[in-house]
Each structure stands twice: as structure tokens, then as C-alpha cells.
Amino acid sequence: MPFILPANTLSAGGYDVANSLRFNVGSSDYLNRTLGAPTSDKIFTISAWVKRSTLGGEGYVFTIGSNGGSSPSHWYSIRYANEKIYVQRSGTGQLITNAVYRDTSAWYHIVLTNDTTQGTASNRLKLYVNGEQPSLGTATYPSENTILDGIDGARCAISLTYSGTGNYFGGYMSEVCFIDGQALAADSFGEFDEDSGIWKPIDVSGLTFGNNGFYLETKQSGTSQNSSGLGADTSGNDNHFAVNNLTAVDQSTDTCTNNFATMNLLDNFYGQGTFSEGNLQIAQSDASYASLTSTIGVSSGKWYAEIKWTAQTTGNFPALSWIGIVGSVATATSMGVGNNADSYSYIGDGSDGGKKRNNGSSSSYGDDYDVGDIIGIALDLDNNKIYWSKNGTFQNSGDPTSGSTGTGSAFDLTTPSSGFYYFAVSDQHDGESSTWQFNFGSPPFAISSSNADGNGFGNFEYAVPSGYFALCSKNLAEHG
């Protein structure tokens, strides 16, 4: 039951979530705090909206570990493993889904209720995913009135094992809630949209959170354990979390009510890229230079993105950067951006630096670019034109607002073979590597000037051309 939220704009007055927090496995990002005396050690509810960016291995969403030690005698966890969702507590109690959740373009809502006062065993632990209770491959339940010992003084963590080391979560989280003393169903946190039928969040600020309860909205961008931090609790309890290895850049506008494009981890068989930073950073090396693509493709409208070339190795030959669009995913290692009829790129470095490329042929276009430069792409699918900018200046005196005239357009685009165009990159030169960062409106790097599109979405380094929009679900609902 994966989904890409197309709006919340479909129903008037829908609740909007402004921010999420982006967790990167490679930098060991997590939040933690020490719990106090609970409202209940038998009854509680956990709710979180998550968007994965890593697959394979284990990634912990939420944990409690008694006494804050590395070998807690009592613990509780929600994690991904083998792409399934696992709920487990010390002693007896484990739920494992039959379904796998491996769509890295989608937001999922996870709710777990624990109420051991229930006489019926299956009511003591309940898991909901996107508003429904999933089929379970494993289901064991704690005994009636079992308590979770050691809550007072226990470590509560987001994106960390109950033992306090490793297995970090990779991806985005928003609207993370802990309700101490109540067993709430999923409809306390979300509802099905009356128009689309898609599960979406509702305002939870009126809930009673209990002694250890918290509500993480990621409204602030500081790194201290207080009301100005990324781990600030807005429930009214001031149960703020300590921030570990996260910075202001990790505060994202990619949320469960406005889903932004990232790069597609599932389209990586031939490209062999190394993905990180919420799939907004890719390093590509080895002999493969197949294209790596965005999670969202478009067939109409006007779209803008920025791609920063951040690293390059040279060796015998410097790695090249091919930045552009493709109309189909790669089916061979040689399918770099610009090597097919519906594939177009702007090249950085080497003998073709500054040239444009299509169908395996390069020709003069603009200035060469290098590591540190930001390349803007203005994709006009209403007039089938494409324009590239270097650090805010459109090349070839291009004017993306010129419509059908196409002043300075790099190419007249053909109909894509898949029906959609995807933003894409590729590296070229055997054994060398390039690294890029991608800004579809929720950047993984610091922005100095902060420019939004005409709808107020996105955070870009350079001005978005009039009539062009960030690649996100709310814009797609209106312009896609």
C-alpha cells in the first residue's frame, strides 16, 4: 500500500505538514532523550510518518531501552528489516508484516498501540500502516497486564537501536508522536482523503500526550535540546530530544502532505551509484556511466531543479558530469545522459566541457562548468524546450519564459519513449567518479539566497523562472 501523496489540495481545508527531518545513515543521525515516570507502563501509542531512502539491512524508527545502557534488560522497538516492518519488545511480543515496504518515493504512516490490559491477546499489540492493519507473518503477544519495566530513566531514541549503537534509519520522518497512557488507533492521526481515498495526516495537536508524550514537528532548526532545536517537542510537555549529527540543512520541506522528488534508488542496476542524504546525493564511479534518474517523471508543465557537482576524481582522465533529462531508464551500462534519442545533457569538464549532448552527439552550447558549480534545469514540456543555467545564468542567452519561441533553448525535445521525462545525471570515464547533490526544492546543501517558485514551494539558490515549479506533489496536482 505505498503511495505518493498527490495533494491534500484535493480537499479544501486539508491539514498541511510543513517540515520533516532527514536522517542519513552514513553520518549516524539520531535523536534521543531520557524518559521520566510514565503515565502508564502498560498503555502507549507511537505514530510516525516515514519516507525511506535506504534498503537492505536494518533501520530503527523508534526505540526504548531501559536504563540507557548498551545491554538494556527491557526494550521496545519499531524497525525495518528485510524491507518488512518489525515490532518487538523484550520478553514476549513481536509483529512482522508479510508485506515489504520498499518504495523510496513514498511516505508511509506507521502506528503502533500497546495495551497489555486487554483480555484478548491480539488487542495488546496493534500495528497500522497507512490507516490499515496489515497482514502479519509473525504475531506473538505479551501476557495480560505485562509492564515495560525500567521506563523511568530509559533512553528513548529516533533512528537508533535500543542498545544505543548502529542500525540508523535512512530517510525522512515527520509528525512523530508518542502518547503515554492511551491506546489510540490510526484514525487519531490520519484519515482517508474524501476525493482520492489516500491516507493523509490530520491535526494531532489537540491530543492528550501524557507524562512522557511528545510531538516532533521539526519546526525549529537548532541543534540544542530545547524548544529551538530540531528535536523540539511541541506537545506542551517540553520533552525535547538531544540532536546527534543532524544540522539545520537536515530540516526538510519534503513531507507527508507535499512529497518532493528525490533520486531513484530503485533505478540503479546499471548506474551503480552510491546514494545518501535522503537520496539527494549520489556518487557514481566504476566503468558504468548509465543514467541515474529522479523518482518523479513529468509529461507536461514547466519544471525547475538545481544540481550541484560536488566532487570529482581525475586519475588518468578527469571524471565528466552529464546533467540533464532522460525519457527512459537505462538498460545498459553505456546509457549515459545524452546518449539516446530522448536523452539530453549539458557536459562539465573534459574536451566536451560546455557542450550539449543528444543521441550520442555533442555540440557547442555554453560555458564549461566544474566542481562547486550549480547547474539549473528549466524543463518546458508545454513547448518541448530545455534550458540549462550555470550559477544562475542561462546558457546560450536562453530565456525559459519565451514559450514556443524557445529563445536560446538547447533542444527541441522529442516524445519520450516512456511517456515521461526524468531529471538525470551520469559520470563518464572508466574508474573515475563524480558526486552530485540534487535540489528539487528541498536541498541537501546550504542555500544562501532562498528562492521559491510561484506557488511558494521550494528553496533554491537561484531565482526560479516565472511559470516554472519545484517537482513536488502539490505542484503536480496543479500543473502536472
Side-chain angles (χ1 to χ4, degrees), residues 1-3 5 45-51 61 78 80 85 101 106-112 127-134 174-177 184-192 199-202 204 256:
M1 59 185 80
F3 61 95
L5 273 170
T45 306
I46 303 155
S47 171
W49 289 81
V50 300
K51 179 179 177 179
V61 175
I78 302 173
Y80 283 99
I85 297 175
Y101 302 91
W107 281 89
Y108 296 99
H109 184 217
I110 301 172
V111 174
L112 188 281
L127 174 67
Y128 300 85
V129 181
N130 295 348
E132 300 176 345
Q133 291 185 260
S174 68
E175 298 286 285
V176 181
C177 297
L184 302 180
D187 59 7
S188 291
F189 307 93
E191 64 183 4
F192 290 102
W199 184 253
K200 65 180 185 179
I202 60 175
V204 301
C256 46

Side-chain angles (χ1 to χ4, degrees), residues 44 46 60 62-66 74-78 87-90 112-115 124-126 148 161-162:
F44 51 85
I46 303 155
Y60 280 75
F62 175 93
T63 61
I64 295 174
S66 64
H74 302 282
W75 49 267
Y76 204 100
S77 70
I78 302 173
V87 174
Q88 196 164 5
R89 53 175 291 157
S90 53
L112 188 281
T113 65
N114 183 104
D115 182 358
R124 295 173 199 149
L125 282 181
K126 289 184 178 180
L148 186 61
T161 65
Y162 52 83

Side-chain angles (χ1 to χ4, degrees), residues 402-423:
S402 59
S404 59
T405 303
T407 302
S409 169
F411 293 105
D412 291 327
L413 305 177
T414 62
T415 301
S417 57
S418 69
F420 298 90
Y421 273 113
Y422 299 84
F423 290 87

Side-chain angles (χ1 to χ4, degrees), residues 19-25 27-35 47-50 60-65 68 76 78 154-178 214-226 228-234 239-248 250-252:
N19 296 109
S20 67
L21 192 55
R22 182 171 53 240
F23 294 85
N24 185 50
V25 173
S27 50
S28 307
D29 298 344
Y30 69 96
L31 303 173
N32 72 288
R33 69 176 305 272
T34 301
L35 300 179
S47 171
W49 289 81
V50 300
Y60 280 75
V61 175
F62 175 93
T63 61
I64 295 174
Y76 204 100
I78 302 173
R155 175 181 49 241
C156 179
I158 311 294
S159 178
L160 185 69
T161 65
Y162 52 83
S163 63
T165 56
N167 295 119
Y168 304 98
F169 174 80
Y172 304 77
M173 291 195 211
S174 68
E175 298 286 285
V176 181
C177 297
F178 181 69
F214 57 81
Y215 178 25
L216 305 184
E217 295 183 87
T218 321
K219 286 186 172 182
Q220 306 299 324
S221 59
T223 56
S224 298
Q225 190 175 1
N226 56 31
S228 297
L230 289 164
D233 168 29
T234 56
N239 288 329
H240 309 303
F241 278 69
V243 178
N244 299 272
N245 306 316
L246 293 149
T247 69
D250 298 310
Q251 183 190 45
S252 174

Side-chain angles (χ1 to χ4, degrees), residues 121-399:
S122 59
N123 289 334
R124 295 173 199 149
L125 282 181
K126 289 184 178 180
L127 174 67
Y128 300 85
V129 181
N130 295 348
E132 300 176 345
Q133 291 185 260
S135 170
L136 300 172
T138 297
T140 60
Y141 301 95
S143 300
E144 189 172 355
N145 289 316
T146 299
I147 66 172
L148 186 61
D149 283 328
I151 291 180
D152 192 355
R155 175 181 49 241
C156 179
I158 311 294
S159 178
L160 185 69
T161 65
Y162 52 83
S163 63
T165 56
N167 295 119
Y168 304 98
F169 174 80
Y172 304 77
M173 291 195 211
S174 68
E175 298 286 285
V176 181
C177 297
F178 181 69
I179 308 296
D180 183 2
Q182 296 180 79
L184 302 180
D187 59 7
S188 291
F189 307 93
E191 64 183 4
F192 290 102
D193 186 90
E194 61 185 17
D195 295 319
S196 66
I198 292 172
W199 184 253
K200 65 180 185 179
I202 60 175
D203 186 357
V204 301
S205 60
L207 295 176
T208 299
F209 289 86
N211 290 353
N212 280 319
F214 57 81
Y215 178 25
L216 305 184
E217 295 183 87
T218 321
K219 286 186 172 182
Q220 306 299 324
S221 59
T223 56
S224 298
Q225 190 175 1
N226 56 31
S227 60
S228 297
L230 289 164
D233 168 29
T234 56
S235 72
N237 283 342
D238 290 332
N239 288 329
H240 309 303
F241 278 69
V243 178
N244 299 272
N245 306 316
L246 293 149
T247 69
V249 171
D250 298 310
Q251 183 190 45
S252 174
T253 54
D254 187 342
T255 75
C256 46
T257 59
N258 196 15
N259 191 12
F260 278 79
T262 64
M263 296 302 285
N264 191 354
L265 180 65
L266 298 178
D267 180 24
N268 191 35
F269 181 78
Y270 292 101
Q272 295 296 296
T274 299
F275 287 64
S276 59
E277 299 294 346
N279 293 345
L280 294 176
Q281 178 171 295
I282 299 177
Q284 186 182 40
S285 61
D286 204 8
S288 173
Y289 54 94
S291 59
L292 299 157
T293 57
S294 59
T295 52
I296 298 176
V298 285
S299 59
S300 62
K302 299 178 180 180
W303 307 99
Y304 179 76
E306 293 177 345
I307 300 173
K308 185 176 184 179
W309 193 16
T310 60
Q312 169 198 45
T313 62
T314 54
N316 293 325
F317 298 97
L320 307 185
S321 171
W322 295 359
I323 294 175
I325 60 171
V326 297
S328 59
V329 299
T331 56
T333 58
S334 60
M335 286 181 64
V337 185
N339 277 357
N340 290 76
D342 60 350
S343 177
Y344 306 86
S345 67
Y346 174 27
I347 300 173
D349 213 345
S351 59
D352 279 352
K355 292 183 178 181
K356 61 184 181 181
R357 186 175 179 85
N358 168 244
N359 207 20
S361 177
S362 302
S363 57
S364 297
Y365 175 59
D367 296 333
D368 191 7
Y369 64 90
D370 208 339
V371 169
D373 290 328
I374 294 176
I375 303 304
I377 304 175
L379 177 60
D380 179 357
L381 292 180
D382 293 336
N383 298 287
N384 293 318
K385 311 291 184 184
I386 186 170
Y387 307 81
W388 283 278
S389 65
K390 172 187 174 181
N391 299 329
T393 300
F394 279 95
Q395 301 299 288
N396 195 36
S397 301
D399 179 6

